[in-house]
Amino acid sequence: MSALPKFRLDRTRLAAPQVTEKLRDAILSLDLVPGTVLARQELADRFGVSQTPVREALLRLNEEGLVDVFPQHATLVSRIDIAAAREAHFLRRSIELELVHQLALEPPAGLVEQMKAVIAQQAALSTARRYGDFVGADRAFHHLMYEAGGVASLWELVGRVSGHVDRLRRLHLPTAGKTEAILRDHRAIVRGIEARDPAAAQAALRRHLSGTLSAVDEICRQYPDYVATS
């Protein structure tokens, strides 16, 4: 766990949710790669807490499929489950296809401008190859749609089940042309919404969300120790 620094938690908030959030971020960013052993006492030391909130955090991450807990033995960062990634992708695609259709029929005031601003930020991050920040901006782009559509709670639901597909995307992101393809698709989604063309917005979104899973075989060949295919 050498990739993890010592963390300073907000003492006005409960510790367990903060530990969960920090560990989830480290797993999704691949700072903690699949197979990493998560020792409770070492984590407690790094977070400056007792083992109780660490235990609660690991149980929550186990429920999300991001860690495997072997009682009386060890807790490991889980391998990327390809089947679970496909299920999460199906859920997100179903929600967002309906969402962009709704937004294109009647774009909320200010949405297009906000989305374009995030795309401009992503373009700068792509040029700088700041992939971690690029992922954060990508999430912000999609989160804007959920908020504008009045279904922000569904964003939280999608996030809870998307750990496996999110890690696949993180592995795929440095591939030549990947960030440029994301930017192209985001611009096309915005054009569809701005033009009040639901079919165009949906077509762009469908193409956008299919990118990583269409490359899953190559990702598995490159990172065989990170994935579980059965």
Side-chain angles (χ1 to χ4, degrees), residues 5-180:
K6 286 186 178 292
F7 292 100
R8 186 182 298 276
L9 301 184
D10 181 350
R11 297 303 174 182
T12 68
R13 297 172 51 203
L14 292 174
Q18 295 183 75
V19 175
T20 304
E21 178 183 331
K22 298 294 187 182
L23 286 177
R24 183 190 293 113
D25 288 346
I27 292 169
L28 295 184
S29 67
L30 300 174
D31 287 337
L32 292 175
V33 300
T36 300
V37 176
L38 301 175
R40 284 195 308 221
Q41 186 57 60
E42 184 177 351
L43 288 171
D45 292 341
R46 287 179 183 267
F47 283 100
V49 296
S50 70
Q51 287 194 29
T52 299
V54 171
R55 185 183 302 110
E56 293 177 15
L58 293 176
L59 288 173
R60 174 65 182 271
L61 294 172
N62 177 247
E63 292 172 357
E64 296 180 16
L66 294 179
V67 304
D68 294 323
V69 178
F70 301 97
Q72 310 304 319
H73 178 54
T75 298
L76 308 176
V77 176
S78 68
R79 288 191 173 201
I80 300 169
D81 186 322
I82 301 302
R86 293 187 188 280
E87 288 184 2
H89 173 262
F90 183 89
L91 174 65
R92 179 174 177 182
R93 183 180 60 188
S94 300
I95 293 171
E96 293 192 14
L97 283 172
E98 179 60 29
L99 189 53
V100 296
H101 183 277
Q102 172 187 318
L103 294 174
L105 288 175
E106 190 173 352
L111 174 63
V112 167
E113 290 73 19
Q114 289 176 298
M115 297 175 85
K116 287 181 178 179
V118 175
I119 291 172
Q121 180 187 15
Q122 281 190 289
L125 293 169
S126 173
T127 300
R129 297 185 179 181
R130 291 170 53 186
Y131 297 122
D133 292 331
F134 185 94
V135 169
D138 183 78
R139 289 175 181 157
F141 179 88
H142 288 268
H143 192 198
L144 278 173
M145 296 193 296
Y146 284 73
E147 289 187 326
V151 290
S153 63
L154 292 182
W155 174 255
E156 296 175 7
L157 169 64
V158 169
R160 287 197 299 272
V161 302
S162 293
H164 295 288
V165 72
D166 285 346
R167 287 189 288 169
L168 281 177
R169 290 194 178 102
R170 186 64 183 83
L171 289 172
H172 193 209
L173 196 59
T175 302
K178 177 60 177 175
T179 57
E180 291 82 359

